Amino acid sequence: MSLELFLLRMPKVELHVHLEGAMRPAVLLEAGLKKWFRFRDFEHFVQVYLTCSRALRDPEDFRLLASDFLTEQAYQNVLYSEVHFTIATHLGNGANGGEVLAALEEAIRDGEKSHGVTMRLIPDVVRNVGPQWADRTLEWALAGRDRGVVALGLSGSESRFPNEPFREHFAAARQAGLHRVAHAGEHAGPPSIRSVLDVCGAERIGHGVRAVDDPALVAELADRGIPLEVCPTSNLCLGVAPDLASHPFDRLYRAGCRISVNSDDPAFFAVTLTREYLRLHQTFGYGAAELAGLSLAALQQSFLPEAERAALEQRFQEEIETLGRDLLGGGVLATVAG
């Protein structure tokens, strides 16, 4: 049997995927948007992203989007996802924050009941729009602590806008028991990564691939065990790397950095998490054991409570062992565990 089938059935976790960026064309059409774009650069991508986000108006739109996302995750056996969500955009478009949270909470419950997959939310502070909307994002995140929100995130243009205005927001999130993640090291270099570690107390870095420009930073990230949420196809589409063979993924992996594989905005970049794993195999020659190890690493880097993570890890091990025996002739689990 093929490695492609192994990867489709392999249990997976996704830590860096944007809910709005998972909006497939059928959902967009149902919400009233009828155009699709190719991206010239990051700023053009943001314009398209905001245009698509404006298609989401009513609570049912958000429930539909989350339900469609969870159905696709279930098809790929992505058992757990931590999903970025830019609530400030929707509040600015007139959505009711409480109704949006309730709609997403309903979709999460339905996904667990119908498909056996779990989603948690990371509302993003957007650097571009300033502290006022960061206040609203933090407020929404705090209201959702027991309703699916696990962390406060930071996104937006790292090359044009500083992190410092949001220091207190992330301090408040930490005080309230929320985790902290931040996009950095994508369209700006190593200083951006160092900044979010200092300013935001980031526990994981979204992207982080530009760390390779500073070997000392790579060593520090590896030594401190700071995970990088790497999104290879996204980086190609937005010009971070010219092709996958040139992408820093393998260099960071070989340097001992903790890495997860992610799709970022799958509908925008015509990719799936399964396909990301396949492309890593095709480009860098990773075999089933290494790919399963990356999948297990993503679970270990998640913000799941320890007991839930341990139970899911046991399930991962059992499913990988079965797949290795049935599809690849055995030996995968032992290699991963070793």
Side-chain angles (χ1 to χ4, degrees):
M1 299 292 286
S2 68
L3 182 65
E4 289 89 337
L5 183 56
F6 173 84
L7 293 174
L8 178 63
R9 296 185 181 178
M10 180 179 73
K12 293 179 281 294
V13 160
E14 186 153 29
L15 302 179
H16 190 115
V17 56
H18 294 261
L19 188 58
E20 297 93 334
M23 204 180 328
R24 296 191 290 183
V27 177
L28 285 169
L29 289 170
E30 188 163 342
L33 192 66
K34 298 181 179 179
K35 292 185 178 180
W36 203 249
F37 302 92
R38 292 184 181 273
F39 308 117
R40 296 186 298 271
D41 51 32
F42 181 71
E43 298 305 324
H44 181 223
F45 165 74
V46 171
Q47 294 174 16
V48 175
Y49 195 93
L50 292 175
T51 299
C52 293
S53 293
R54 282 193 288 271
L56 301 168
R57 292 286 185 175
D58 301 322
E60 177 59 20
D61 296 336
F62 294 94
R63 191 202 63 77
L64 172 66
L65 172 59
S67 296
D68 182 73
F69 170 77
L70 288 167
T71 299
E72 172 62 22
Q73 296 297 80
Y75 173 74
Q76 296 186 67
N77 205 25
V78 184
L79 300 178
Y80 177 72
S81 305
E82 291 178 359
V83 180
H84 290 268
F85 180 64
T86 312
I87 182 60
T89 298
H90 309 296
L91 296 176
N93 289 336
N96 180 291
E99 292 179 354
V100 171
L101 181 58
L104 294 176
E105 188 179 20
E106 180 184 356
I108 290 171
R109 286 195 304 266
D110 290 347
E112 292 174 350
K113 180 179 179 181
S114 301
H115 302 300
V117 295
T118 302
M119 178 175 78
R120 295 294 179 261
L121 298 167
I122 303 176
D124 277 336
V125 168
V126 183
R127 294 175 174 95
N128 309 40
V129 296
Q132 175 187 352
W133 289 106
D135 292 346
R136 300 283 301 277
T137 300
L138 175 61
E139 178 184 348
W140 194 86
L142 295 178
R145 277 175 295 178
D146 299 320
R147 302 172 65 184
V149 173
V150 294
L152 185 68
L154 182 67
S155 64
S157 177
E158 59 173 326
S159 62
R160 295 173 53 208
F161 296 90
N163 303 314
E164 187 62 41
F166 312 109
R167 181 184 291 272
E168 295 306 316
H169 297 89
F170 282 87
R174 179 176 184 173
Q175 183 67 28
L178 288 176
H179 293 282
R180 286 86 53 209
V181 301
H183 288 59
E186 180 189 14
H187 298 282
S192 174
I193 298 172
R194 295 188 183 280
S195 176
V196 296
L197 292 173
D198 171 45
V199 172
C200 306
E203 298 168 81
R204 290 198 317 247
I205 304 295
H207 300 288
V209 293
R210 292 285 303 281
V212 294
D213 297 344
D214 182 351
L217 177 58
V218 172
E220 179 183 343
L221 293 170
D223 289 344
R224 293 177 60 183
I226 303 292
L228 306 179
E229 307 158 356
V230 182
C231 311
T233 297
S234 168
N235 293 161
L236 302 190
C237 289
L238 298 181
V240 178
D243 52 59
L244 196 52
S246 306
H247 192 278
F249 189 101
D250 191 62
R251 282 171 280 166
L252 292 166
Y253 179 58
R254 301 300 176 192
C257 290
R258 302 182 72 197
I259 294 178
S260 61
V261 182
N262 305 276
S263 66
D264 199 7
D265 299 286
F268 285 66
F269 302 134
V271 73
T272 65
L273 184 57
T274 300
R275 197 172 301 140
E276 292 282 21
Y277 279 97
L278 180 60
R279 288 175 176 174
L280 292 173
H281 159 71
Q282 294 168 336
T283 303
F284 300 119
Y286 300 158
E290 286 180 296
L291 297 168
L294 286 165
S295 180
L296 186 60
L299 170 60
Q300 294 165 341
Q301 295 161 24
S302 74
F303 294 139
L304 274 170
E306 183 59 36
E308 293 181 43
R309 186 164 59 240
L312 193 53
E313 183 169 340
Q314 178 63 33
R315 177 176 173 181
F316 266 49
Q317 296 278 12
E318 292 172 356
E319 290 193 17
I320 291 170
E321 180 177 28
T322 299
L323 287 170
R325 182 178 62 249
D326 294 348
L327 299 182
L328 302 175
V332 174
L333 178 61
T335 308
V336 172

